[in-house]
Amino acid sequence: MPLRLSHVDVLRSVRRDVAESAETGAPPLGHLAGLHRVPTQDGSYALAFDLERPLMAGGPGLLEIAMLTDLALGGAIRNQVGRALPMPTISMTLQLAPGRAAQVAAADSECTGRLDRTATARSQLKTAAGEIVGDAQGVFALPAMPYDGPERAMPWDCLPGDDAADTGGGAADDLTSWTPGTTDAALVDRIVEHASRTPRCAWGTAHVEQQLTSNGENIALTPTEPMANRLGHVQGGALFTAAVLAAARRGEFPVDSLVTGTIEFIDAVRLDDQILTQVSVLRASGRSLFASVLVDQGERRCCHVTTVFRRDYAIS
């Protein structure tokens, strides 16, 4: 997916997104993917990419889709219970039409149930033309009410012009006032370079792939700061992507043949230590692959991911 931006516009776009992330505290990959809420006629919650953003050159990859899904599911719940409430994801299931993941442009979500400390949501993943190419469900933890902790809305949970929006804007509006640190400057350079080529997928997914290394029979992920969520842990989309990539490698299936994946978040994953994936192939044939992935950090079990891949053709 080629971009129509000049080099100067690409540079300014990336710098603005990184500056906004520094101000809002929201995940940098969300800003860089241009996540934004889309108005709907019935007031439901819809979230979309900006496919012209430099990070999105090459089209959405698995990380971008998982991130969109997670934030859209949570956003639908926050839209009802309070936009500033912290809501850790307990589990998420993503279903995709084989070979069509790169066409995902938006997620239309709704809250489906609320208890005192738990809420559920579901989402439809759609192309830019509105065709449904995936579904998702999520379970989230709610804080004890009344909540008296720190409050700050995700910038993309608010509609344009909404007085409730808290998106910063100072440094982002006037980039001359923003001085990037070493990490931010390196991130800007990497994404500008990514957009200058003809990549096969968006930068976030490519970055997770680059951070994977073989560790005996297992595959390890070295987290980086761009993978952070707003709490400073590794975001769920990066963990899901690492697990799916590990399963695809182990089973020798193409990543875009994933038809369903479920991730259960057992414990938070820190940015300062390597993550180890342990893949168990449950069943493999010429057409289908069923695999289970355990994600550990040190002695802690952090996630469990189950995956199903399905080829449109069988290999004898």
Side-chain angles (χ1 to χ4, degrees):
M1 182 181 299
L3 294 176
R4 296 188 294 270
L5 301 176
S6 68
H7 176 78
V8 172
D9 288 338
V10 167
L11 180 60
R12 181 172 181 82
S13 173
V14 177
R15 285 173 58 87
R16 181 191 64 235
D17 289 336
V18 174
E20 284 187 349
S21 176
E23 282 200 57
T24 65
L29 292 177
H31 281 286
L32 287 158
L35 291 181
H36 59 282
R37 188 172 172 185
V38 180
T40 59
Q41 292 183 345
D42 60 1
S44 61
Y45 186 92
L47 196 65
F49 295 123
D50 176 359
L51 296 174
E52 292 296 316
R53 281 296 213 280
L55 175 132
M56 299 299 294
L62 192 57
L63 179 140
E64 289 75 28
I65 295 167
M67 175 177 64
L68 170 75
T69 302
D70 189 16
L71 293 172
L73 291 168
I77 300 170
R78 285 191 297 271
N79 197 43
Q80 290 195 11
V81 303
R83 293 175 182 170
L85 295 183
M87 291 187 343
T89 311
I90 297 174
S91 70
M92 180 179 73
T93 296
L94 178 62
Q95 297 175 317
L96 293 166
R100 302 198 62 187
Q103 299 176 34
V104 172
D108 195 343
S109 306
E110 63 174 338
C111 177
T112 54
R114 285 169 51 192
L115 298 174
D116 287 342
R117 299 297 301 275
T118 310
T120 58
R122 63 186 176 194
S123 180
Q124 292 182 324
L125 304 182
K126 299 181 177 180
T127 67
E131 184 180 0
I132 298 172
V133 291
D135 295 280
Q137 294 180 323
V139 182
F140 294 78
L142 298 176
M145 302 299 286
Y147 175 72
D148 59 359
E151 297 187 8
R152 198 171 192 185
M154 289 282 198
W156 38 78
D157 279 350
C158 305
L159 290 166
D162 192 333
D163 290 339
D166 180 9
T167 58
D173 290 339
D174 180 12
L175 289 174
T176 61
S177 67
W178 178 68
T179 302
T182 302
T183 300
D184 288 342
L187 177 59
V188 170
D189 290 343
R190 289 176 184 177
I191 296 176
V192 170
E193 181 184 2
H194 170 84
S196 70
R197 304 194 303 269
T198 308
R200 60 178 181 79
C201 66
W203 183 83
T205 299
H207 181 58
V208 171
E209 289 182 302
Q210 292 168 355
Q211 294 300 115
L212 292 176
T213 55
S214 295
N215 188 335
E217 294 185 355
N218 302 314
I219 293 176
L221 172 69
T222 301
T224 62
E225 289 190 27
M227 298 180 194
N229 63 19
R230 70 185 315 171
L231 298 178
H233 302 136
V234 180
Q235 67 166 252
L239 297 170
F240 181 83
T241 301
V244 171
L245 291 172
R249 287 189 187 181
R250 178 72 178 274
E252 298 182 346
F253 263 63
V255 175
D256 65 1
S257 66
L258 178 76
V259 292
T260 184
T262 297
I263 180 167
E264 299 156 356
F265 297 95
I266 301 169
D267 201 355
V269 179
R270 304 187 310 273
L271 285 167
D272 61 357
D273 195 8
Q274 196 175 62
I275 302 160
L276 190 65
T277 64
Q278 302 178 49
V279 180
S280 298
V281 174
L282 307 178
R283 182 176 185 274
S285 66
R287 192 181 296 278
S288 301
L289 168 68
F290 297 78
S292 173
V293 185
L294 297 175
V295 180
D296 296 337
Q297 190 171 57
E299 299 299 319
R300 294 183 304 114
R301 173 114 325 134
C302 298
C303 301
H304 175 222
V305 181
T306 56
T307 62
V308 181
F309 299 81
R310 180 80 174 169
R311 288 190 178 103
D312 285 337
Y313 55 90
I315 297 178
S316 57

PDB file of all heavy atoms in Angstrom, residues 151-169:
ATOM      1  N   GLU A 151      -7.273   9.158  36.398  1.00  0.00           N
ATOM      2  CA  GLU A 151      -8.198   9.093  35.278  1.00  0.00           C
ATOM      3  C   GLU A 151      -7.656   9.876  34.091  1.00  0.00           C
ATOM      4  O   GLU A 151      -7.241  11.023  34.235  1.00  0.00           O
ATOM      5  CB  GLU A 151      -9.571   9.658  35.658  1.00  0.00           C
ATOM      6  CG  GLU A 151     -10.283   8.878  36.754  1.00  0.00           C
ATOM      7  CD  GLU A 151     -11.694   9.380  36.969  1.00  0.00           C
ATOM      8  OE1 GLU A 151     -12.161  10.215  36.174  1.00  0.00           O
ATOM      9  OE2 GLU A 151     -12.338   8.938  37.937  1.00  0.00           O
ATOM     10  N   ARG A 152      -7.657   9.227  32.928  1.00  0.00           N
ATOM     11  CA  ARG A 152      -7.308   9.914  31.687  1.00  0.00           C
ATOM     12  C   ARG A 152      -7.853   9.117  30.515  1.00  0.00           C
ATOM     13  O   ARG A 152      -7.572   7.933  30.397  1.00  0.00           O
ATOM     14  CB  ARG A 152      -5.795  10.084  31.551  1.00  0.00           C
ATOM     15  CG  ARG A 152      -5.424  11.147  30.525  1.00  0.00           C
ATOM     16  CD  ARG A 152      -3.950  11.453  30.552  1.00  0.00           C
ATOM     17  NE  ARG A 152      -3.654  12.650  29.784  1.00  0.00           N
ATOM     18  CZ  ARG A 152      -2.426  13.092  29.551  1.00  0.00           C
ATOM     19  NH1 ARG A 152      -1.397  12.434  30.030  1.00  0.00           N
ATOM     20  NH2 ARG A 152      -2.229  14.189  28.850  1.00  0.00           N
ATOM     21  N   ALA A 153      -8.644   9.761  29.700  1.00  0.00           N
ATOM     22  CA  ALA A 153      -9.276   9.064  28.586  1.00  0.00           C
ATOM     23  C   ALA A 153      -8.262   8.751  27.495  1.00  0.00           C
ATOM     24  O   ALA A 153      -7.309   9.498  27.274  1.00  0.00           O
ATOM     25  CB  ALA A 153     -10.407   9.913  28.013  1.00  0.00           C
ATOM     26  N   MET A 154      -8.475   7.629  26.804  1.00  0.00           N
ATOM     27  CA  MET A 154      -7.716   7.355  25.596  1.00  0.00           C
ATOM     28  C   MET A 154      -8.100   8.420  24.562  1.00  0.00           C
ATOM     29  O   MET A 154      -9.288   8.716  24.396  1.00  0.00           O
ATOM     30  CB  MET A 154      -8.047   5.974  25.041  1.00  0.00           C
ATOM     31  CG  MET A 154      -7.524   4.827  25.860  1.00  0.00           C
ATOM     32  SD  MET A 154      -5.762   4.564  25.592  1.00  0.00           S
ATOM     33  CE  MET A 154      -5.606   2.883  26.215  1.00  0.00           C
ATOM     34  N   PRO A 155      -7.141   8.992  23.851  1.00  0.00           N
ATOM     35  CA  PRO A 155      -7.488  10.061  22.911  1.00  0.00           C
ATOM     36  C   PRO A 155      -8.461   9.618  21.837  1.00  0.00           C
ATOM     37  O   PRO A 155      -9.279  10.406  21.369  1.00  0.00           O
ATOM     38  CB  PRO A 155      -6.131  10.479  22.324  1.00  0.00           C
ATOM     39  CG  PRO A 155      -5.201   9.354  22.622  1.00  0.00           C
ATOM     40  CD  PRO A 155      -5.694   8.743  23.890  1.00  0.00           C
ATOM     41  N   TRP A 156      -8.387   8.356  21.417  1.00  0.00           N
ATOM     42  CA  TRP A 156      -9.274   7.887  20.351  1.00  0.00           C
ATOM     43  C   TRP A 156     -10.623   7.410  20.876  1.00  0.00           C
ATOM     44  O   TRP A 156     -11.457   6.967  20.090  1.00  0.00           O
ATOM     45  CB  TRP A 156      -8.606   6.760  19.569  1.00  0.00           C
ATOM     46  CG  TRP A 156      -7.823   5.829  20.423  1.00  0.00           C
ATOM     47  CD1 TRP A 156      -8.298   4.822  21.207  1.00  0.00           C
ATOM     48  CD2 TRP A 156      -6.408   5.835  20.604  1.00  0.00           C
ATOM     49  NE1 TRP A 156      -7.287   4.200  21.865  1.00  0.00           N
ATOM     50  CE2 TRP A 156      -6.098   4.797  21.506  1.00  0.00           C
ATOM     51  CE3 TRP A 156      -5.362   6.612  20.080  1.00  0.00           C
ATOM     52  CZ2 TRP A 156      -4.793   4.509  21.908  1.00  0.00           C
ATOM     53  CZ3 TRP A 156      -4.069   6.327  20.480  1.00  0.00           C
ATOM     54  CH2 TRP A 156      -3.792   5.293  21.380  1.00  0.00           C
ATOM     55  N   ASP A 157     -10.878   7.492  22.191  1.00  0.00           N
ATOM     56  CA  ASP A 157     -12.203   7.172  22.708  1.00  0.00           C
ATOM     57  C   ASP A 157     -13.181   8.323  22.541  1.00  0.00           C
ATOM     58  O   ASP A 157     -14.383   8.154  22.753  1.00  0.00           O
ATOM     59  CB  ASP A 157     -12.123   6.796  24.192  1.00  0.00           C
ATOM     60  CG  ASP A 157     -11.698   5.347  24.404  1.00  0.00           C
ATOM     61  OD1 ASP A 157     -11.658   4.602  23.408  1.00  0.00           O
ATOM     62  OD2 ASP A 157     -11.408   4.974  25.550  1.00  0.00           O
ATOM     63  N   CYS A 158     -12.672   9.487  22.187  1.00  0.00           N
ATOM     64  CA  CYS A 158     -13.503  10.683  22.084  1.00  0.00           C
ATOM     65  C   CYS A 158     -13.701  11.065  20.620  1.00  0.00           C
ATOM     66  O   CYS A 158     -12.793  10.900  19.795  1.00  0.00           O
ATOM     67  CB  CYS A 158     -12.863  11.853  22.827  1.00  0.00           C
ATOM     68  SG  CYS A 158     -12.504  11.474  24.565  1.00  0.00           S
ATOM     69  N   LEU A 159     -14.866  11.571  20.320  1.00  0.00           N
ATOM     70  CA  LEU A 159     -15.155  12.046  18.975  1.00  0.00           C
ATOM     71  C   LEU A 159     -14.553  13.431  18.776  1.00  0.00           C
ATOM     72  O   LEU A 159     -14.355  14.185  19.746  1.00  0.00           O
ATOM     73  CB  LEU A 159     -16.660  12.103  18.744  1.00  0.00           C
ATOM     74  CG  LEU A 159     -17.356  10.739  18.648  1.00  0.00           C
ATOM     75  CD1 LEU A 159     -18.870  10.907  18.757  1.00  0.00           C
ATOM     76  CD2 LEU A 159     -16.988  10.049  17.339  1.00  0.00           C
ATOM     77  N   PRO A 160     -14.228  13.819  17.540  1.00  0.00           N
ATOM     78  CA  PRO A 160     -13.700  15.165  17.289  1.00  0.00           C
ATOM     79  C   PRO A 160     -14.635  16.232  17.840  1.00  0.00           C
ATOM     80  O   PRO A 160     -15.852  16.169  17.671  1.00  0.00           O
ATOM     81  CB  PRO A 160     -13.634  15.226  15.752  1.00  0.00           C
ATOM     82  CG  PRO A 160     -13.516  13.798  15.324  1.00  0.00           C
ATOM     83  CD  PRO A 160     -14.326  13.008  16.313  1.00  0.00           C
ATOM     84  N   GLY A 161     -14.050  17.191  18.543  1.00  0.00           N
ATOM     85  CA  GLY A 161     -14.841  18.275  19.114  1.00  0.00           C
ATOM     86  C   GLY A 161     -15.475  17.952  20.441  1.00  0.00           C
ATOM     87  O   GLY A 161     -16.143  18.796  21.036  1.00  0.00           O
ATOM     88  N   ASP A 162     -15.258  16.725  20.942  1.00  0.00           N
ATOM     89  CA  ASP A 162     -15.830  16.320  22.226  1.00  0.00           C
ATOM     90  C   ASP A 162     -15.089  17.036  23.346  1.00  0.00           C
ATOM     91  O   ASP A 162     -13.871  16.962  23.448  1.00  0.00           O
ATOM     92  CB  ASP A 162     -15.703  14.808  22.380  1.00  0.00           C
ATOM     93  CG  ASP A 162     -16.521  14.264  23.535  1.00  0.00           C
ATOM     94  OD1 ASP A 162     -16.773  15.003  24.493  1.00  0.00           O
ATOM     95  OD2 ASP A 162     -16.911  13.084  23.460  1.00  0.00           O
ATOM     96  N   ASP A 163     -15.848  17.697  24.222  1.00  0.00           N
ATOM     97  CA  ASP A 163     -15.221  18.425  25.330  1.00  0.00           C
ATOM     98  C   ASP A 163     -14.532  17.491  26.306  1.00  0.00           C
ATOM     99  O   ASP A 163     -13.659  17.907  27.071  1.00  0.00           O
ATOM    100  CB  ASP A 163     -16.280  19.249  26.090  1.00  0.00           C
ATOM    101  CG  ASP A 163     -16.789  20.417  25.273  1.00  0.00           C
ATOM    102  OD1 ASP A 163     -16.089  20.832  24.333  1.00  0.00           O
ATOM    103  OD2 ASP A 163     -17.906  20.896  25.572  1.00  0.00           O
ATOM    104  N   ALA A 164     -14.915  16.194  26.270  1.00  0.00           N
ATOM    105  CA  ALA A 164     -14.303  15.233  27.197  1.00  0.00           C
ATOM    106  C   ALA A 164     -12.945  14.762  26.729  1.00  0.00           C
ATOM    107  O   ALA A 164     -12.236  14.078  27.436  1.00  0.00           O
ATOM    108  CB  ALA A 164     -15.229  14.020  27.379  1.00  0.00           C
ATOM    109  N   ALA A 165     -12.588  15.121  25.504  1.00  0.00           N
ATOM    110  CA  ALA A 165     -11.309  14.659  24.968  1.00  0.00           C
ATOM    111  C   ALA A 165     -10.156  15.262  25.744  1.00  0.00           C
ATOM    112  O   ALA A 165     -10.147  16.440  26.067  1.00  0.00           O
ATOM    113  CB  ALA A 165     -11.197  15.034  23.490  1.00  0.00           C
ATOM    114  N   ASP A 166      -9.164  14.419  26.025  1.00  0.00           N
ATOM    115  CA  ASP A 166      -7.946  14.876  26.690  1.00  0.00           C
ATOM    116  C   ASP A 166      -6.788  14.344  25.882  1.00  0.00           C
ATOM    117  O   ASP A 166      -6.243  13.286  26.150  1.00  0.00           O
ATOM    118  CB  ASP A 166      -7.893  14.355  28.130  1.00  0.00           C
ATOM    119  CG  ASP A 166      -6.627  14.805  28.857  1.00  0.00           C
ATOM    120  OD1 ASP A 166      -5.891  15.642  28.315  1.00  0.00           O
ATOM    121  OD2 ASP A 166      -6.390  14.309  29.970  1.00  0.00           O
ATOM    122  N   THR A 167      -6.446  15.042  24.854  1.00  0.00           N
ATOM    123  CA  THR A 167      -5.453  14.521  23.917  1.00  0.00           C
ATOM    124  C   THR A 167      -4.170  15.326  23.911  1.00  0.00           C
ATOM    125  O   THR A 167      -3.362  15.229  23.006  1.00  0.00           O
ATOM    126  CB  THR A 167      -6.042  14.530  22.489  1.00  0.00           C
ATOM    127  OG1 THR A 167      -6.419  15.867  22.141  1.00  0.00           O
ATOM    128  CG2 THR A 167      -7.245  13.628  22.389  1.00  0.00           C
ATOM    129  N   GLY A 168      -3.966  16.132  24.924  1.00  0.00           N
ATOM    130  CA  GLY A 168      -2.745  16.939  24.911  1.00  0.00           C
ATOM    131  C   GLY A 168      -2.862  17.989  23.844  1.00  0.00           C
ATOM    132  O   GLY A 168      -3.778  18.773  23.819  1.00  0.00           O
ATOM    133  N   GLY A 169      -1.916  18.007  22.913  1.00  0.00           N
ATOM    134  CA  GLY A 169      -2.025  18.891  21.768  1.00  0.00           C
ATOM    135  C   GLY A 169      -0.981  19.971  21.723  1.00  0.00           C
ATOM    136  O   GLY A 169      -0.743  20.541  20.672  1.00  0.00           O
TER     137      GLY A 169
END
